[in-house]
Amino acid sequence: MEGLMEDDELKILPEGCVSTILSFTSPQDACKSSLVSTIFQSAADSDIVWERFLPVDYEDIVSKSNVRFEFSSKKELFLHLCNSDLLIDGGRKSFRIEKSSGKKSFILSARDLHITSSNDPLYWHWASLPESRFSEVAVLRTVSWLEIVGKIKTQMLSPNTKYGAYLILKISERSHGLDSMPSEISVEVGNSQGSTTIAYLRLAREHARKQQMERLFYGNRMEMLKSRVVEGDGRAPSERDDGWLEIELGEFFSGENDEEVKMSLVEVRGHHLKGGLIIEGIEVRPKQY
Amino acid sequence: MSSSTDSPTLTTETTQLSPQPDTETAKPTKKITLKSSDNQIFEVEESVAMEFATVKSFFEDSPSTDTVPLPNVTAKPLSQVIEFCKEQIKFKANPDEAQKKKYNAEFVTEKSDKDLVDMIPVANYLEIKDLLDVLNQAVADRIENKSVEYVRSFFGIDNDFTAEEEAALRREHAWAYEGVDED
């Protein structure tokens, strides 16, 4: 038997082993490894690798979409789900995979949120915007009671992952009253009372100018309004890559059990009218460490 | 109880069975000889050799042989693989998941990169699934978030792409090359 095989045959790592090794790394490592050698490239493209990176319930999620798309490999499917929003649940939610980790993220559309008085056209109306991934966004005309609540089950998310919840919004040029008073934002998991903090619905560039005016005219009134809500520095919206603004409502750990996460932004203490807010939805996505 | 696995003497239980000795339990500890490609001889207990699925089927096909030539396995990785399997036999007799985990972790931690890489094809060829799992995970941990050049030298692999192919691949996965650890 000796001499029948080349002596150095086993010095070469079998492609199947390379695939298994890469499946234990990350999507980023697997893509990068394509460049190591031709064996690695072919191993890094295999379904063994990408099946492991896809969420365990990806078939279920994809089946909730109206869009039927063809893909030739698990890698192609994975990258497709990273690079574009997949509308699911009749267009009420969108789904994505985070490229570097393979973890799941969702955006609950405005229609999937509980927005107080949103079905009363006096206060809110529903519009279709070209820059929205959804068919409709909620546009605030004017309201004194501003309450936006989103709910998601942790079982829909990747387990044991730190997630952040972000309200995706726009502030129109004709907005008024939105940051006269800070909004209270919170994220609660299950029955545990989450901590409430504050946020200002305003554009940073507008803010500096306004602040000067406020101090000049309403100094005392502003201080009084602010003292009615909890203390804190107050978050402000930041710009997203998709042209929207976002404001972090809070964070939570998805764990392993199925619990309901309640994410909210509320401003009901000022009693003044506010308007000019456009709500795209609430995004729930993994937080970078 | 442990005597039934360790000792070749027949117990009262086995005497009631057919007189043919049970290959798993009652046979005296038979030694099997493994010969590496660099002509080193390894004498191992049959139970250890049977951990190697490839060797096991070799014996099923030709039961009269007592020396198994392994023409493409060199002595060093083979001796390490045998060392691992000997321990696994002990855990089979006395299951202790925590100890097994600890042993497996230590087994790979103390090995050099080259030792791990050399053992993988051997474990794959001999079809030792437990060891292969441990090695694959250990190697994955060591190359995670490393640069392409690091991974090449880790596995001792030469770049066999043309400059054009390499450039095309870099473009395709440009995002993946950002933020890797220092080599």
Side-chain angles (χ1 to χ4, degrees), chain A residues 195-211:
Chain A
S195 66
T196 300
T197 175
I198 59 170
Y200 290 92
L201 295 174
R202 65 185 165 211
L203 300 166
R205 58 186 148 84
E206 292 287 304
H207 178 56
R209 188 180 53 82
K210 266 191 181 174
Q211 214 169 25

Side-chain angles (χ1 to χ4, degrees), chain A residues 151-170:
Chain A
K151 288 177 182 173
I152 195 167
K153 295 278 208 168
T154 52
Q155 210 157 59
M156 286 175 67
L157 305 169
S158 299
N160 299 319
T161 302
K162 190 167 136 193
Y163 274 93
Y166 305 82
L167 182 68
I168 305 175
L169 58 112
K170 271 191 180 175

Side-chain angles (χ1 to χ4, degrees), chain B residues 4-55:
Chain B
S4 63
T5 47
D6 294 338
S7 135
T9 50
L10 295 176
T11 64
T12 45
E13 280 166 69
T14 50
T15 46
Q16 292 166 354
L17 299 170
S18 77
Q20 282 177 325
D22 183 341
T23 45
E24 289 294 316
T25 55
K27 217 179 209 173
T29 47
K30 189 183 155 188
K31 296 275 185 186
I32 283 181
T33 308
L34 303 173
K35 192 173 160 197
S36 70
S37 64
D38 36 0
N39 292 320
Q40 289 218 36
I41 300 294
F42 293 87
E43 265 211 340
V44 295
E45 287 182 15
E46 189 182 19
S47 60
V48 174
M50 291 306 125
E51 288 286 292
F52 308 165
T54 311
V55 172

Side-chain angles (χ1 to χ4, degrees), chain B residues 28-172:
Chain B
T29 47
K30 189 183 155 188
K31 296 275 185 186
I32 283 181
T33 308
L34 303 173
K35 192 173 160 197
S36 70
S37 64
D38 36 0
N39 292 320
Q40 289 218 36
I41 300 294
F42 293 87
E43 265 211 340
V44 295
E45 287 182 15
E46 189 182 19
S47 60
V48 174
M50 291 306 125
E51 288 286 292
F52 308 165
T54 311
V55 172
K56 194 176 176 188
S57 57
F58 180 88
F59 268 95
E60 280 160 6
D61 294 343
S62 38
S64 55
T65 13
D66 54 2
T67 300
V68 186
L70 299 171
N72 38 21
V73 178
T74 53
K76 191 174 182 201
L78 182 58
S79 69
Q80 290 172 333
V81 166
I82 291 170
E83 172 199 333
F84 179 86
C85 288
K86 275 185 181 165
E87 287 301 315
Q88 303 303 308
I89 297 287
K90 289 184 199 160
F91 292 125
K92 266 190 185 166
N94 299 302
D96 183 340
E97 273 307 310
Q99 276 299 316
K100 185 173 162 178
K101 249 188 163 162
K102 186 164 170 271
Y103 173 81
N104 291 353
E106 280 168 6
F107 179 81
V108 289
T109 308
E110 66 195 16
K111 298 286 180 294
S112 70
D113 294 348
K114 190 175 184 309
D115 283 347
L116 293 184
V117 171
D118 287 349
M119 258 190 286
I120 288 176
V122 175
N124 183 61
Y125 169 67
L126 296 175
E127 292 176 50
I128 313 163
K129 200 187 164 297
D130 285 357
L131 176 59
L132 202 51
D133 288 347
V134 170
L135 292 173
N136 285 338
Q137 182 66 61
V139 166
D141 292 345
R142 290 193 192 185
I143 62 164
E144 196 151 12
N145 216 26
K146 299 290 188 188
S147 70
V148 174
E149 293 71 26
Y150 183 94
V151 176
R152 274 188 201 131
S153 79
F154 184 97
F155 289 103
I157 291 176
D158 291 328
N159 179 9
D160 56 355
F161 287 114
T162 64
E164 291 79 30
E165 286 170 333
E166 185 164 340
L169 277 168
R170 272 199 191 270
R171 269 197 305 279
E172 189 189 342

Side-chain angles (χ1 to χ4, degrees), chain A residues 200-236:
Chain A
Y200 290 92
L201 295 174
R202 65 185 165 211
L203 300 166
R205 58 186 148 84
E206 292 287 304
H207 178 56
R209 188 180 53 82
K210 266 191 181 174
Q211 214 169 25
Q212 220 174 359
M213 303 289 280
E214 276 173 6
R215 270 198 214 105
L216 227 56
F217 297 107
Y218 315 111
N220 291 336
R221 163 94 178 135
M222 300 318 293
E223 288 312 307
M224 187 196 73
L225 284 173
K226 279 168 195 165
S227 68
R228 285 195 212 163
V229 293
V230 289
E231 294 297 315
D233 282 343
R235 295 183 186 141

